[in-house]
Amino acid sequence: MGGSGSGRGYQGGKATTYDMRKLDVRRLQRDGLLQPGLAFGWQWTCNGEELASIQIRTEVDRVMLSYRSRNNGGEWQPMEYPVTLEWTPCHLGGRRAWFHCPARGCGQRVAILYGGTIFACRHCHKLSYPCQRETADDRAARRADTIRRRLSWEPGILNGEGGKPKGMHWRTFERLTAEHDAFVRVSLAGMAARLGLIERRLDGVGDALHPKS
C-alpha cells in the first residue's frame, strides 16, 4: 500500500494528522462494515486516483488489517495484525465503536488510526493537529472565518462584510463583528509583516485572539 502514509512525514516525527492517511472507525460503523464475517478493501484516493489500499476482515470485536508496507524505499513487507474494537453505549441508545491502538505498549481507545508502518493513534505517531502549527495571524484568520460563517457572510477576510442575520439580536451582532474585526486586524498585520511591509508587532495579539467577554 505504499506504506499507507508512511512516506508523508511520519519518519520526521513532526507530521500533522493531515499528512497521514486515516482509518476512522466511525466511518466504518456508519457504513455498516463492522459486522463480523465481512471482508472488503479500503482505498485512499485523490482526484479519482487510488493512492493506497488495505484489506479489512471483520471478526467479533476486532478487525484484521492486511497490506504491504515499506520504509524509505526498502523491500515491501506484508503486514497483517488485529485491531481490537470496544463498544460503548450512546446516551440516546445504540452503541459506538472504538479502536484500541495496536501499537506495542499503547492500547489507547481512539476513533481514528493513522497509517504508517502500522496503523496507530496520533500519539504513537507523534502527530500534531494542523492548527497547532498555525501562526497567530493564521489562527486569527481562521477564527474570523468562523465568525463569518456564523453571520452567514462570504468566507474570506478579504471579502466584504454582510449584514445582520435575521433573528440575531443587535447586541450579539455587534459583539461578533467587533471580535471579527479584531481578528482581521491581527491577521492582516501578520501577513504584512511576513511580506516585509511593516515591522512585526505582537502587542495586543493576545487580547485580539482571546477577547474579553
Side-chain angles (χ1 to χ4, degrees):
M1 64 177 287
S4 183
S6 61
R8 297 200 296 164
Y10 168 66
Q11 298 299 326
K14 291 296 184 181
T16 72
T17 54
Y18 180 80
D19 297 318
M20 308 287 277
R21 296 183 181 104
K22 64 182 182 180
L23 188 62
D24 192 328
V25 74
R26 296 166 298 188
R27 173 73 183 277
L28 296 178
Q29 182 179 9
R30 188 164 59 246
D31 291 351
L33 297 175
L34 294 181
Q35 302 176 38
L38 297 180
F40 55 94
W42 193 262
Q43 298 83 33
W44 290 266
T45 62
C46 180
N47 297 324
E49 180 182 355
E50 182 178 309
L51 301 177
S53 66
I54 63 174
Q55 296 298 312
I56 301 177
R57 186 173 73 251
T58 58
E59 300 178 356
V60 177
D61 292 333
R62 73 178 192 174
V63 296
M64 294 292 299
L65 305 185
S66 178
Y67 55 92
R68 294 193 307 156
S69 176
R70 65 177 179 178
N71 288 324
N72 299 322
E75 293 294 324
W76 289 97
Q77 299 293 329
M79 302 290 293
E80 183 170 272
Y81 52 90
V83 177
T84 302
L85 298 173
E86 180 180 342
W87 299 86
T88 58
C90 299
H91 292 301
L92 299 179
R95 300 188 303 166
R96 176 180 175 178
W98 301 87
F99 287 132
H100 277 220
C101 175
R104 182 177 300 175
C106 184
Q108 179 171 265
R109 188 176 75 180
V110 294
I112 298 175
L113 297 176
Y114 297 91
T117 302
I118 67 167
F119 280 82
C121 70
R122 179 176 71 89
H123 301 287
C124 288
H125 279 307
K126 297 181 172 62
L127 302 177
S128 62
Y129 291 116
C131 64
Q132 292 175 297
R133 291 189 173 183
E134 290 178 323
T135 62
D137 43 284
D138 288 334
R139 188 159 52 251
R142 178 171 57 82
R143 293 182 176 179
D145 258 340
T146 298
I147 294 175
R148 294 181 74 88
R149 287 195 297 271
R150 184 173 176 184
L151 296 174
S152 299
W153 293 357
E154 183 180 1
I157 64 173
L158 298 181
N159 292 316
E161 297 183 1
K164 181 178 76 67
K166 185 177 180 180
M168 178 176 285
H169 293 296
W170 275 105
R171 186 173 181 179
T172 301
F173 176 69
E174 291 168 353
R175 175 178 58 80
L176 291 175
T177 53
E179 292 178 8
H180 169 271
D181 292 347
F183 290 139
V184 169
R185 287 194 295 272
V186 172
S187 182
L188 294 179
M191 287 189 285
R194 284 203 298 269
L195 294 173
L197 300 178
I198 63 172
E199 181 180 353
R200 178 179 288 273
R201 291 181 57 85
L202 296 180
D203 296 343
V205 168
D207 292 338
L209 294 179
H210 305 283
K212 297 178 180 178
S213 57

